[in-house]
């Protein structure tokens, strides 16, 4: 049904309107007389707007929409439109307007949008119903008429296009595991779903046991004792050769041992199948034929003998449950550990846009296209966003762009954004949930000067990706006694020459491009200017290898790691301690929290204008001092950073049985900022301890506020005396009382108290890469105490009080000094609309 074809669109709309604005003003000179005429002032404009909308769900899972809007003007001669005073001019104006009208006018702007979405019908396929996959594509196309000079020269039109592609996929592993009975049983056991069933089975067994004994627990009859000692089920049956026999054994399991014996005590092999946990179906038996009797009856007609039923005694015994076997329990524990992945999802999003000024051609009527000798302009691919960076060169080759024109100075712009998100939920044990998240976002922009030869371009963008820097998260940043020595920084310095050698090896077969004098066309020689040790191509890979871990010889040299190199961050939460007796007697909830996040970021970058390509993003640029070509990538990256946060490293939030809430967290952050321009590394550290308590006093009387009188108290007492027959009437009365009390504006006078204390120690260290000298630049210790209380006095009035105390003690400073700030106050909020 998800693929039912719809032959016709669900909706089709077309709107059009024509607007004419005409203004005429005639001034007369009263002193000069009636024969004097002044020039007529007039304004005339005819606009024609056309809008189209189409929605077509081709399948239930495939939906498309398309809209377009054209705003055009009817061209007309610049003259007064007055049929009575200027009949000749009016006739010429009318002919011009009608001609423009039949050609649908001259467009001013055009805009269209297209969107399509498809949900893969995996739910209709049983083996894939645990997965979902969706895709969506949208595009927009715009065209705007450019400015025209007085002599009719056009400065070019503006065309732009944009597309967005979204792909998402989800996998529910819990649903996948339930497709196998063993794994489904494991899930139910460790999720507590079998707890109620087991309790019911135990209760039934106790009831059956009590039914066989007296009220005082005395043993029943001898027959009951014998029945109690007998295991399994036994029954005599008569099995025919034509009809199966259905035997109800009542063993409540499919793990059975079924034996059958004949009247003379011989074992008979039964053929049966299990219908359910309490029933088996025994197949008819096959009688043995007398061969001699059959041969004697070939030439004579004889009445076949009646086959008598086979008398059997069937014994059915239930096997010991697998749950009672040690090896089976071990397998379940191992299986549950392997089933820790519960959910997974991935999403991909790409947005691409292009803006082209200086576009020569105008648009037509269908999809905003104009027929030219080179085909439709700007093309259906441009209208629906299915183009790439090479479209600018194609448009220039087809004569659609205003090239070699000094009047056009605005470049074409291209932007491309790619975002990838991967999320996985793990549950190694019950009540322990771990959420993994990996992401990568890249923004690239390009500016193309298409009006000049060679179409020079510049690039810019930003980048961020999740990574793992936990290997050096707890390293000692040093102190003043050891000159702030740091092992990760020492590794960073030792990795620089290794990475420099690897980067320089990429230019082993390079040839100097033209424009470098005598060196042009010659093979690359490090003696003329090798790779700089302090370039971004060297410092950034060495920085990532030192602080994120990895071999500097094998780690990729790309400063924009691919999607395959993004690493997950995580959040962890465990709430199972409250099930232990000691915790259950003291807490309503007790949760342990932990979260880790590390982001590698390139805030902004651009490309070198004097850079010359060698291969891909590798090339040469001119040294400012010597003029020799220096190997360097196209990107001028000034700063990169790694922001690492444990929020919290360890945190506990709890609710006591008496209603008090408490929270304690230890947070740790680190920010590493590498400046390529100043060749320095700045490390910022912060350690926080946060403790908070809260309590809510319900419905207390302060400042003369009256407590709520429960209007249901009397009805509750009466309902207890009158019995069960009047419960319904009592509940109706309670609802009426509640509604009356709410209409009277009764509120609960609650007093909310909150106390929070925090301690923060932060410092910053600046490390010079050239001199290997580290100095502390700033740091302070901050203490903060906050006490808040709010009280609901009435439905319209709320009163609050607060007390804030904060103290800052500088660790490294020559001009600052310890400061203490205290704030306290009282506020009243009165609302007239509540």
């Amino acid at each position: 049904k998800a693929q039912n074809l719809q032959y016709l669109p669900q909706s089709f709309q077309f709107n059009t309107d024509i607007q004419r604005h005409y203004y005429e003003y005639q001034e007369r000179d009263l002193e000069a007389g009636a024969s004097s005429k002044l020039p007529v002032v007039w304004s005339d404009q005819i606009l024609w707007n056309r809008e189209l909308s189409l929605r077509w769900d081709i399948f239930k899972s495939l939906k498309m929409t398309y809209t377009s809007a054209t705003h055009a003007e009817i061209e007309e001669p610049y003259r007064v439109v007055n049929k009575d005073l200027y009949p000749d001019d009016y006739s010429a104006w009318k002919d011009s307007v009608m001609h423009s009208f039949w050609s649908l006018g001259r467009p001013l702007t055009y805009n269209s949008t297209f969107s399509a979405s498809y949900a893969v019908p995996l739910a209709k396929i049983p083996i894939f119903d645990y997965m979902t996959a969706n895709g969506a594509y949208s595009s927009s196309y715009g065209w705007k008429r450019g400015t025209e000079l007085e002599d009719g020269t056009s400065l070019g039109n503006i065309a732009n296009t944009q597309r967005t592609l979204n792909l998402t996929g989800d996998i529910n592993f819990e649903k996948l595991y339930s497709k196998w009975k063993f794994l489904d049983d494991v899930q139910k056991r460790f999720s507590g779903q079998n707890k109620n069933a087991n309790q019911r089975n135990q209760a039934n067994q106790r009831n059956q046991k009590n039914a066989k004994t007296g009220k005082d627990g005395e043993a029943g009859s001898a027959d009951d004792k014998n029945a109690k000692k007998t295991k399994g089920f036994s029954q005599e049956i008569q099995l025919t050769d034509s009809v199966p026999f259905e035997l109800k054994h009542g063993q409540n399991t499919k793990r059975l041992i079924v034996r059958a014996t004949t009247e003379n005590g011989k074992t008979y092999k039964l053929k049966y199948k299990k219908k359910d946990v309490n029933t088996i179906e025994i197949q008819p038996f096959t009688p043995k034929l007398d061969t001699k009797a059959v041969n004697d009856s070939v030439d004579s007609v004889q009445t076949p003998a009646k086959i008598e039923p086979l008398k059997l005694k069937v014994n059915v015994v239930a096997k010991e449950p697998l749950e009672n076997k040690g090896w089976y329990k071990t397998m379940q524990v191992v299986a549950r550990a392997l089933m820790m992945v519960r959910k997974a999802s991935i999403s991909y999003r790409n947005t691409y846009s292009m803006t082209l000024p200086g576009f020569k051609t105008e648009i037509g009527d269908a999809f905003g296209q104009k027929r030219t000798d080179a085909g439709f302009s700007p093309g259906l691919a441009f209208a629906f966003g299915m183009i790439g960076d090479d479209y600018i060169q194609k448009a220039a080759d087809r004569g659609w762009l205003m090239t070699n024109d000094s009047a056009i100075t605005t470049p074409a712009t291209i932007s491309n954004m790619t975002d990838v998100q991967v999320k996985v939920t793990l549950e190694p044990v019950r009540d322990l949930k771990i959420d993994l998240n990996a992401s990568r976002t890249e923004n690239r922009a390009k500016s193309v000067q298409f009006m000049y030869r060679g179409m020079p371009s510049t690039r810019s963008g930003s980048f961020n990706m999740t990574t793992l820097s936990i290997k050096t998260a707890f390293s000692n940043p040093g102190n003043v006694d050891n000159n702030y020595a740091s092992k990760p920084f020492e590794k960073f310095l030792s990795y620089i020459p290794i990475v420099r050698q690897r980067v320089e090896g990429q230019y082993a077969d390079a040839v100097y491009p033209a424009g470098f004098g005598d060196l042009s066309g010659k093979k690359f020689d490090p003696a003329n200017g090798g790779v700089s040790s302090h370039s971004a191509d060297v410092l950034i890979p060495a920085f990532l290898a030192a602080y994120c871990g990895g071999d500097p010889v094998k780690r990729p040299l790309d400063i924009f790691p691919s999607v395959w190199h993004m690493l997950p961050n995580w959040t962890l939460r465990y709430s199972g301690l409250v099930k232990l007796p000691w915790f259950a007697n003291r807490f309503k909830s007790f949760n342990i929290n932990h979260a880790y996040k590390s982001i590698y970021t390139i805030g902004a970058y651009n490309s070198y204008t004097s850079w010359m390509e060698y291969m891909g993003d590798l090339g040469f640029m001119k040294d400012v001092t010597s003029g020799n070509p220096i190997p360097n990538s196209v990107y001028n990256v000034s700063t990169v950073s790694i922001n690492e946060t444990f929020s919290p490293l360890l945190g506990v939030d709890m609710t006591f049985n008496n209603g008090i809430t408490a929270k304690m967290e230890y947070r740790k952050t680190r920010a590493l900022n590498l400046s390529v321009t100043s060749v320095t590394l700045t490390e910022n550290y912060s350690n926080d301890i946060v403790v908070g308590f809260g309590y809510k006093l319900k419905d207390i009387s302060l400042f003369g506020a009256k407590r709520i009188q429960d209007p249901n108290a009397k009805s509750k007492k009466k309902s207890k005396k009158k019995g069960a027959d009047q419960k319904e009437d009592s509940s109706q009365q309670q609802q009426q009382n509640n509604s009356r009390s709410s209409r009277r504006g009764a509120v609960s006078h609650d007093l909310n108290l909150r106390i929070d204390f925090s301690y923060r120690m932060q410092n910053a260290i600046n490390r010079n890469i050239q001199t290997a000298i580290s100095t502390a630049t700033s740091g302070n210790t901050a203490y903060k105490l906050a006490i808040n209380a709010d009280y609901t006095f009435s439905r319209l009035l709320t009163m609050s009080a607060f007390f804030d105390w904060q103290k800052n003690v500088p660790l490294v400073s020559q001009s600052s000094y310890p400061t203490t700030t205290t704030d306290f106050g009282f506020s009243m909020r009165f609302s007239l609309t509540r």
Side-chain angles (χ1 to χ4, degrees), residues 175-188:
K175 194 172 183 179
L176 172 62
Y177 300 147
S178 64
K179 292 182 177 296
W180 286 271
K181 186 180 184 305
F182 171 72
L183 299 182
D184 189 39
D185 293 340
V186 172
Q187 286 197 110
K188 291 179 179 178

Side-chain angles (χ1 to χ4, degrees), residues 663 690-694 754-758 784-788 803-805:
K663 180 178 72 172
V690 179
V691 180
F693 296 92
R754 184 72 192 175
I755 301 176
D756 294 292
F757 174 79
S758 64
K784 184 177 181 180
L785 175 65
I787 303 175
N788 295 276
F803 174 83
D804 292 336
W805 175 84

